[in-house]
Amino acid sequence: TPAMRTFEDYLQALDWARSIGGLTGLMARADANAQAIFDFCVANDWIDNLAEDPATRSNTSVCLKFTDDRIPDGAVFAKAVAKRLEAEGVALDIGAYRDAPAGLRIWCGGTVETSDIEAMLPWLDWAFHAEIEALAQAA
């Protein structure tokens, strides 16, 4: 049987969701989070949404791909970028799933603050350029 603490946690989560506008508020937060990443992709020619058709893009699990021609192996590069971000404590578990195309997967659900997504994006830019520099030095 579930512990009473489980029910209390659930009730607190529902209260929080109601306090930010319920389902509509949660959806708006997810939209804002995803839009911050979509705008970042538009501003940077080395990264793009994995889903090329905007109608098929997720606003919660945003999947990205690296598009820079200097990247010889997308999977290795994406793992290296994710590792750099994790080492800095910036983003955890953002690598694409093992059976998915190479890239990054960023959770943008309604429980995430848009300011946290926006704070992560300059770090993503840094990690990308650091890995490009590492490739150039290895060549």
Side-chain angles (χ1 to χ4, degrees):
T1 60
M4 291 306 291
R5 186 179 315 192
T6 302
F7 289 112
E8 184 61 29
D9 286 347
Y10 182 68
L11 292 173
Q12 287 181 11
L14 288 174
D15 286 343
W16 173 81
R18 272 191 223 103
S19 78
I20 62 157
L23 179 58
T24 301
L26 288 166
M27 291 169 55
R29 286 169 62 107
D31 288 343
N33 293 339
Q35 192 62 54
I37 295 176
F38 299 159
D39 292 345
F40 180 81
C41 290
V42 168
N44 293 279
D45 63 357
W46 48 265
I47 196 162
D48 203 357
N49 284 277
L50 181 60
E52 294 177 6
D53 179 358
T56 63
R57 292 179 183 159
S58 173
N59 69 338
T60 54
S61 184
V62 176
C63 296
L64 304 174
K65 62 183 176 182
F66 292 103
T67 58
D68 194 289
D69 292 336
R70 296 171 289 181
I71 301 170
D73 185 331
V76 170
F77 188 85
K79 286 179 186 178
V81 168
K83 185 176 179 180
R84 278 187 189 270
L85 293 172
E86 185 169 341
E88 295 295 328
V90 173
L92 305 174
D93 192 29
I94 68 166
Y97 290 123
R98 179 181 53 197
D99 295 333
L104 302 176
R105 171 183 48 82
I106 302 170
W107 179 249
C108 291
T111 58
V112 176
E113 298 288 340
T114 303
S115 60
D116 289 340
I117 296 291
E118 292 168 340
M120 182 271 305
L121 294 172
W123 283 96
L124 176 55
D125 183 67
W126 166 81
F128 167 79
H129 286 95
E131 282 304 313
I132 287 294
E133 179 67 25
L135 284 175
Q137 290 177 358

